[in-house]
Amino acid sequence: MADGISSFWGPVTSSHEWCEKNYVYSSYIAEFYNTLSNVPCILLALVGLLSSLLQRFEKRFSILHLSNMALAIGSIMYHATLQHVQQQSDETPMVWEMLLYIYILYSPDWHYRSTMPTFLFLYGISFAVLHSVIRFDIGFKLHYVMLCLLCIPRMYKYYIQTQDISAKRLAKFYFATLFLGSLCWLGDRFCCAQISSWPVNPQGHALWHVFMGFNSYFANTFLMFCRAQQRDWSPQVVYLMGVLPYVRIEKPKTR
């Protein structure tokens, strides 16, 4: 919802704006709350990355945490500028991230090891090129939802196969944050006219960013636990400062 206030970035060229007044606090930040709300995702991804590196998890998890950070940084660029070219830096990493989740979820049961990563890599590159030429809007959202739906059945399979109560709690947090974040996204997207008349805007899209930051962290942590079980690394869910869960592993000693 552009307000005609002078901005550093010029006219809005993105295919969509969210239910937040533009350039209220700074001429350099179009949507203030939607921009800053990506910071928790970056911090959580950093915690996950350090845990992965220090305990020498497989590189796929380090890449996954880095992709979460890249997505959040792309979202910052998009909401701060509302420019079409920066919108690409938000939406394309969203698709790449989901392709990485698909690989991590399905690769343990995939017999042809080189086929899946090759296909997903080519798919991701093809989407990036196509999305840079064609302005997807509804098509992009439907495509993203489809990729998410491909992940959920395997996440549920891992959930029912896991006996550890703390690990199951991570999966429950994953679904809870996904549900709450989706409600915030839908409310901000389709009820903006009503929300704009309220004394205070609840900033539903910013809340979506916060919930999805935690959602990604819980998903990553749960998948790290499941993978550690597959590798017989004796995983345990412990808590950083008694609050933030992460996976501690103990790899078998090699002679």
Short mmCIF file of all heavy atoms in Angstrom, two decimals, residues 183-225:
data_model
loop_
_atom_site.label_atom_id
_atom_site.label_comp_id
_atom_site.label_asym_id
_atom_site.label_seq_id
_atom_site.Cartn_x
_atom_site.Cartn_y
_atom_site.Cartn_z
N LEU A 183 -1.90 -18.60 9.18
CA LEU A 183 -3.05 -17.77 9.56
C LEU A 183 -2.69 -16.28 9.47
O LEU A 183 -3.49 -15.47 8.98
CB LEU A 183 -3.51 -18.11 10.97
CG LEU A 183 -4.24 -19.44 11.18
CD1 LEU A 183 -4.65 -19.59 12.64
CD2 LEU A 183 -5.47 -19.53 10.28
N CYS A 184 -1.50 -15.94 9.95
CA CYS A 184 -1.06 -14.54 9.89
C CYS A 184 -0.91 -14.07 8.44
O CYS A 184 -1.31 -12.95 8.10
CB CYS A 184 0.26 -14.37 10.64
SG CYS A 184 0.15 -14.61 12.42
N TRP A 185 -0.35 -14.93 7.59
CA TRP A 185 -0.16 -14.59 6.18
C TRP A 185 -1.51 -14.37 5.50
O TRP A 185 -1.70 -13.38 4.77
CB TRP A 185 0.62 -15.69 5.48
CG TRP A 185 1.04 -15.36 4.08
CD1 TRP A 185 2.23 -14.83 3.69
CD2 TRP A 185 0.25 -15.51 2.88
NE1 TRP A 185 2.25 -14.67 2.32
CE2 TRP A 185 1.05 -15.07 1.80
CE3 TRP A 185 -1.02 -15.99 2.62
CZ2 TRP A 185 0.61 -15.09 0.49
CZ3 TRP A 185 -1.49 -16.01 1.30
CH2 TRP A 185 -0.67 -15.55 0.26
N LEU A 186 -2.43 -15.29 5.72
CA LEU A 186 -3.75 -15.19 5.08
C LEU A 186 -4.51 -13.96 5.57
O LEU A 186 -5.16 -13.27 4.78
CB LEU A 186 -4.55 -16.47 5.38
CG LEU A 186 -4.05 -17.74 4.69
CD1 LEU A 186 -4.77 -18.96 5.25
CD2 LEU A 186 -4.27 -17.66 3.18
N GLY A 187 -4.43 -13.69 6.88
CA GLY A 187 -5.12 -12.51 7.41
C GLY A 187 -4.58 -11.22 6.82
O GLY A 187 -5.33 -10.33 6.43
N ASP A 188 -3.26 -11.12 6.74
CA ASP A 188 -2.63 -9.92 6.19
C ASP A 188 -2.94 -9.77 4.70
O ASP A 188 -3.13 -8.66 4.20
CB ASP A 188 -1.12 -9.99 6.41
CG ASP A 188 -0.41 -8.71 6.02
OD1 ASP A 188 -0.31 -7.82 6.88
OD2 ASP A 188 0.06 -8.60 4.87
N ARG A 189 -3.01 -10.90 4.01
CA ARG A 189 -3.20 -10.87 2.56
C ARG A 189 -4.64 -10.55 2.16
O ARG A 189 -4.88 -9.78 1.24
CB ARG A 189 -2.79 -12.22 1.97
CG ARG A 189 -2.97 -12.36 0.46
CD ARG A 189 -2.01 -11.45 -0.29
NE ARG A 189 -2.14 -11.62 -1.73
CZ ARG A 189 -3.03 -10.99 -2.48
NH1 ARG A 189 -3.89 -10.14 -1.92
NH2 ARG A 189 -3.09 -11.19 -3.78
N PHE A 190 -5.61 -11.14 2.86
CA PHE A 190 -7.00 -11.05 2.40
C PHE A 190 -7.89 -10.17 3.27
O PHE A 190 -9.04 -9.92 2.90
CB PHE A 190 -7.61 -12.46 2.32
CG PHE A 190 -6.94 -13.34 1.30
CD1 PHE A 190 -6.10 -14.37 1.70
CD2 PHE A 190 -7.13 -13.13 -0.05
CE1 PHE A 190 -5.47 -15.17 0.76
CE2 PHE A 190 -6.51 -13.93 -1.01
CZ PHE A 190 -5.67 -14.95 -0.60
N CYS A 191 -7.39 -9.72 4.41
CA CYS A 191 -8.21 -8.88 5.29
C CYS A 191 -7.59 -7.51 5.50
O CYS A 191 -7.84 -6.86 6.52
CB CYS A 191 -8.42 -9.57 6.64
SG CYS A 191 -9.19 -11.20 6.53
N CYS A 192 -6.80 -7.06 4.54
CA CYS A 192 -6.07 -5.80 4.71
C CYS A 192 -7.02 -4.61 4.84
O CYS A 192 -6.77 -3.69 5.62
CB CYS A 192 -5.12 -5.59 3.54
SG CYS A 192 -4.07 -4.14 3.70
N ALA A 193 -8.12 -4.62 4.09
CA ALA A 193 -9.06 -3.49 4.15
C ALA A 193 -9.62 -3.32 5.56
O ALA A 193 -9.73 -2.19 6.07
CB ALA A 193 -10.19 -3.71 3.15
N GLN A 194 -9.97 -4.43 6.20
CA GLN A 194 -10.49 -4.37 7.56
C GLN A 194 -9.39 -4.01 8.55
O GLN A 194 -9.59 -3.20 9.46
CB GLN A 194 -11.12 -5.71 7.95
CG GLN A 194 -12.36 -6.08 7.16
CD GLN A 194 -12.05 -6.78 5.85
OE1 GLN A 194 -10.91 -6.74 5.37
NE2 GLN A 194 -13.05 -7.41 5.26
N ILE A 195 -8.20 -4.60 8.38
CA ILE A 195 -7.09 -4.36 9.29
C ILE A 195 -6.66 -2.89 9.26
O ILE A 195 -6.31 -2.31 10.30
CB ILE A 195 -5.90 -5.29 8.94
CG1 ILE A 195 -6.27 -6.74 9.26
CG2 ILE A 195 -4.64 -4.87 9.69
CD1 ILE A 195 -5.23 -7.75 8.80
N SER A 196 -6.73 -2.30 8.09
CA SER A 196 -6.29 -0.90 7.95
C SER A 196 -7.15 0.06 8.76
O SER A 196 -6.72 1.17 9.09
CB SER A 196 -6.31 -0.49 6.48
OG SER A 196 -5.41 -1.28 5.73
N SER A 197 -8.37 -0.35 9.10
CA SER A 197 -9.25 0.51 9.89
C SER A 197 -9.07 0.31 11.39
O SER A 197 -9.66 1.05 12.19
CB SER A 197 -10.71 0.24 9.52
OG SER A 197 -11.10 -1.09 9.86
N TRP A 198 -8.26 -0.67 11.78
CA TRP A 198 -8.03 -0.92 13.20
C TRP A 198 -7.09 0.13 13.78
O TRP A 198 -6.27 0.70 13.05
CB TRP A 198 -7.42 -2.30 13.40
CG TRP A 198 -8.32 -3.45 13.03
CD1 TRP A 198 -9.59 -3.36 12.57
CD2 TRP A 198 -7.98 -4.83 13.06
NE1 TRP A 198 -10.10 -4.61 12.32
CE2 TRP A 198 -9.13 -5.55 12.61
CE3 TRP A 198 -6.85 -5.55 13.43
CZ2 TRP A 198 -9.15 -6.93 12.53
CZ3 TRP A 198 -6.87 -6.93 13.34
CH2 TRP A 198 -8.01 -7.61 12.90
N PRO A 199 -7.18 0.40 15.09
CA PRO A 199 -6.26 1.37 15.71
C PRO A 199 -4.80 0.94 15.61
O PRO A 199 -3.91 1.77 15.48
CB PRO A 199 -6.72 1.40 17.19
CG PRO A 199 -8.13 0.91 17.16
CD PRO A 199 -8.21 -0.07 16.04
N VAL A 200 -4.56 -0.39 15.65
CA VAL A 200 -3.19 -0.92 15.57
C VAL A 200 -3.16 -2.04 14.55
O VAL A 200 -4.00 -2.94 14.57
CB VAL A 200 -2.71 -1.46 16.94
CG1 VAL A 200 -1.31 -2.06 16.81
CG2 VAL A 200 -2.73 -0.36 17.98
N ASN A 201 -2.21 -1.97 13.64
CA ASN A 201 -2.01 -3.03 12.66
C ASN A 201 -1.19 -4.16 13.31
O ASN A 201 -0.08 -3.93 13.77
CB ASN A 201 -1.26 -2.47 11.45
CG ASN A 201 -1.12 -3.48 10.31
OD1 ASN A 201 -1.19 -4.70 10.52
ND2 ASN A 201 -0.92 -2.99 9.11
N PRO A 202 -1.73 -5.39 13.37
CA PRO A 202 -0.98 -6.48 14.01
C PRO A 202 0.22 -6.96 13.21
O PRO A 202 0.98 -7.80 13.69
CB PRO A 202 -2.03 -7.60 14.12
CG PRO A 202 -3.00 -7.31 13.02
CD PRO A 202 -3.06 -5.82 12.90
N GLN A 203 0.40 -6.42 11.99
CA GLN A 203 1.56 -6.77 11.15
C GLN A 203 1.62 -8.28 10.93
O GLN A 203 2.60 -8.96 11.28
CB GLN A 203 2.86 -6.25 11.78
CG GLN A 203 2.89 -4.77 12.05
CD GLN A 203 2.75 -3.93 10.78
OE1 GLN A 203 2.98 -4.42 9.67
NE2 GLN A 203 2.36 -2.67 10.93
N GLY A 204 0.58 -8.78 10.29
CA GLY A 204 0.47 -10.22 10.07
C GLY A 204 1.61 -10.80 9.23
O GLY A 204 2.08 -11.91 9.50
N HIS A 205 2.05 -10.05 8.23
CA HIS A 205 3.12 -10.60 7.39
C HIS A 205 4.45 -10.63 8.15
O HIS A 205 5.26 -11.56 7.96
CB HIS A 205 3.28 -9.77 6.11
CG HIS A 205 4.09 -10.46 5.06
ND1 HIS A 205 3.60 -11.51 4.31
CD2 HIS A 205 5.37 -10.28 4.64
CE1 HIS A 205 4.53 -11.94 3.47
NE2 HIS A 205 5.62 -11.21 3.67
N ALA A 206 4.67 -9.64 9.01
CA ALA A 206 5.87 -9.66 9.84
C ALA A 206 5.83 -10.85 10.81
O ALA A 206 6.85 -11.51 11.04
CB ALA A 206 6.00 -8.35 10.61
N LEU A 207 4.66 -11.12 11.37
CA LEU A 207 4.52 -12.29 12.25
C LEU A 207 4.75 -13.58 11.48
O LEU A 207 5.32 -14.53 12.02
CB LEU A 207 3.13 -12.29 12.89
CG LEU A 207 2.87 -11.21 13.94
CD1 LEU A 207 1.41 -11.25 14.39
CD2 LEU A 207 3.80 -11.40 15.13
N TRP A 208 4.33 -13.60 10.21
CA TRP A 208 4.60 -14.75 9.35
C TRP A 208 6.10 -14.99 9.25
O TRP A 208 6.56 -16.13 9.35
CB TRP A 208 3.98 -14.51 7.98
CG TRP A 208 4.65 -15.18 6.81
CD1 TRP A 208 5.56 -14.62 5.96
CD2 TRP A 208 4.42 -16.52 6.32
NE1 TRP A 208 5.93 -15.52 4.99
CE2 TRP A 208 5.25 -16.68 5.18
CE3 TRP A 208 3.62 -17.58 6.73
CZ2 TRP A 208 5.28 -17.87 4.45
CZ3 TRP A 208 3.66 -18.77 6.00
CH2 TRP A 208 4.47 -18.90 4.89
N HIS A 209 6.88 -13.93 9.08
CA HIS A 209 8.33 -14.07 9.01
C HIS A 209 8.89 -14.66 10.31
O HIS A 209 9.74 -15.56 10.27
CB HIS A 209 8.98 -12.71 8.76
CG HIS A 209 8.79 -12.19 7.39
ND1 HIS A 209 8.92 -10.85 7.06
CD2 HIS A 209 8.47 -12.81 6.22
CE1 HIS A 209 8.69 -10.67 5.78
NE2 HIS A 209 8.41 -11.85 5.24
N VAL A 210 8.42 -14.17 11.43
CA VAL A 210 8.92 -14.65 12.72
C VAL A 210 8.56 -16.12 12.93
O VAL A 210 9.41 -16.95 13.28
CB VAL A 210 8.37 -13.79 13.88
CG1 VAL A 210 8.80 -14.39 15.22
CG2 VAL A 210 8.86 -12.35 13.76
N PHE A 211 7.29 -16.45 12.69
CA PHE A 211 6.86 -17.84 12.85
C PHE A 211 7.62 -18.77 11.91
O PHE A 211 8.01 -19.88 12.30
CB PHE A 211 5.35 -17.97 12.60
CG PHE A 211 4.50 -17.61 13.79
CD1 PHE A 211 3.54 -16.62 13.70
CD2 PHE A 211 4.66 -18.26 15.01
CE1 PHE A 211 2.75 -16.27 14.79
CE2 PHE A 211 3.87 -17.92 16.11
CZ PHE A 211 2.92 -16.93 15.99
N MET A 212 7.83 -18.33 10.67
CA MET A 212 8.51 -19.19 9.70
C MET A 212 10.01 -19.30 10.00
O MET A 212 10.65 -20.28 9.65
CB MET A 212 8.28 -18.67 8.29
CG MET A 212 6.83 -18.78 7.83
SD MET A 212 6.12 -20.43 8.11
CE MET A 212 7.07 -21.41 6.96
N GLY A 213 10.58 -18.28 10.66
CA GLY A 213 11.95 -18.41 11.12
C GLY A 213 12.09 -19.54 12.13
O GLY A 213 12.99 -20.39 12.03
N PHE A 214 11.17 -19.58 13.10
CA PHE A 214 11.16 -20.66 14.07
C PHE A 214 10.76 -21.98 13.41
O PHE A 214 11.29 -23.04 13.75
CB PHE A 214 10.21 -20.34 15.22
CG PHE A 214 10.80 -19.43 16.25
CD1 PHE A 214 10.57 -18.07 16.22
CD2 PHE A 214 11.61 -19.93 17.25
CE1 PHE A 214 11.12 -17.21 17.16
CE2 PHE A 214 12.18 -19.09 18.21
CZ PHE A 214 11.93 -17.73 18.16
N ASN A 215 9.83 -21.92 12.46
CA ASN A 215 9.40 -23.11 11.74
C ASN A 215 10.58 -23.79 11.04
O ASN A 215 10.76 -25.00 11.14
CB ASN A 215 8.32 -22.74 10.73
CG ASN A 215 7.89 -23.91 9.87
OD1 ASN A 215 8.37 -24.08 8.75
ND2 ASN A 215 6.99 -24.72 10.38
N SER A 216 11.39 -23.00 10.35
CA SER A 216 12.55 -23.55 9.67
C SER A 216 13.54 -24.14 10.66
O SER A 216 14.12 -25.21 10.43
CB SER A 216 13.23 -22.47 8.82
OG SER A 216 12.37 -21.99 7.81
N TYR A 217 13.74 -23.44 11.77
CA TYR A 217 14.69 -23.93 12.77
C TYR A 217 14.22 -25.25 13.36
O TYR A 217 15.01 -26.20 13.51
CB TYR A 217 14.87 -22.89 13.88
CG TYR A 217 15.86 -23.34 14.93
CD1 TYR A 217 17.23 -23.21 14.72
CD2 TYR A 217 15.43 -23.93 16.12
CE1 TYR A 217 18.15 -23.64 15.66
CE2 TYR A 217 16.34 -24.36 17.07
CZ TYR A 217 17.69 -24.21 16.83
OH TYR A 217 18.60 -24.65 17.76
N PHE A 218 12.94 -25.35 13.71
CA PHE A 218 12.42 -26.61 14.28
C PHE A 218 12.48 -27.73 13.24
O PHE A 218 12.81 -28.87 13.59
CB PHE A 218 10.98 -26.41 14.75
CG PHE A 218 10.84 -25.52 15.95
CD1 PHE A 218 9.83 -24.56 16.02
CD2 PHE A 218 11.72 -25.62 17.02
CE1 PHE A 218 9.71 -23.73 17.12
CE2 PHE A 218 11.60 -24.80 18.13
CZ PHE A 218 10.59 -23.85 18.18
N ALA A 219 12.16 -27.42 11.99
CA ALA A 219 12.24 -28.43 10.94
C ALA A 219 13.67 -28.93 10.77
O ALA A 219 13.92 -30.14 10.70
CB ALA A 219 11.72 -27.86 9.62
N ASN A 220 14.62 -28.01 10.72
CA ASN A 220 16.02 -28.38 10.54
C ASN A 220 16.52 -29.23 11.71
O ASN A 220 17.22 -30.23 11.52
CB ASN A 220 16.89 -27.14 10.40
CG ASN A 220 16.54 -26.32 9.18
OD1 ASN A 220 15.70 -26.71 8.37
ND2 ASN A 220 17.18 -25.18 9.03
N THR A 221 16.15 -28.82 12.91
CA THR A 221 16.61 -29.53 14.10
C THR A 221 16.02 -30.94 14.15
O THR A 221 16.71 -31.91 14.48
CB THR A 221 16.23 -28.75 15.38
OG1 THR A 221 16.73 -27.42 15.28
CG2 THR A 221 16.82 -29.41 16.61
N PHE A 222 14.74 -31.05 13.81
CA PHE A 222 14.10 -32.37 13.78
C PHE A 222 14.75 -33.27 12.74
O PHE A 222 15.01 -34.45 12.99
CB PHE A 222 12.61 -32.20 13.49
CG PHE A 222 11.86 -33.51 13.37
CD1 PHE A 222 11.66 -34.31 14.49
CD2 PHE A 222 11.37 -33.94 12.15
CE1 PHE A 222 10.98 -35.52 14.39
CE2 PHE A 222 10.68 -35.14 12.04
CZ PHE A 222 10.49 -35.93 13.16
N LEU A 223 15.04 -32.72 11.56
CA LEU A 223 15.67 -33.52 10.51
C LEU A 223 17.09 -33.91 10.89
O LEU A 223 17.55 -35.01 10.56
CB LEU A 223 15.67 -32.74 9.20
CG LEU A 223 14.30 -32.53 8.55
CD1 LEU A 223 14.43 -31.68 7.29
CD2 LEU A 223 13.67 -33.88 8.20
N MET A 224 17.80 -33.04 11.59
CA MET A 224 19.13 -33.39 12.06
C MET A 224 19.06 -34.55 13.06
O MET A 224 19.92 -35.45 13.05
CB MET A 224 19.80 -32.16 12.71
CG MET A 224 20.16 -31.08 11.70
SD MET A 224 20.69 -29.52 12.45
CE MET A 224 22.30 -29.97 13.09
N PHE A 225 18.05 -34.53 13.92
CA PHE A 225 17.87 -35.63 14.87
C PHE A 225 17.61 -36.94 14.13
O PHE A 225 18.22 -37.97 14.43
CB PHE A 225 16.72 -35.31 15.82
CG PHE A 225 16.48 -36.38 16.86
CD1 PHE A 225 17.07 -36.27 18.11
CD2 PHE A 225 15.69 -37.47 16.59
CE1 PHE A 225 16.87 -37.26 19.08
CE2 PHE A 225 15.48 -38.47 17.55
CZ PHE A 225 16.08 -38.35 18.78
#
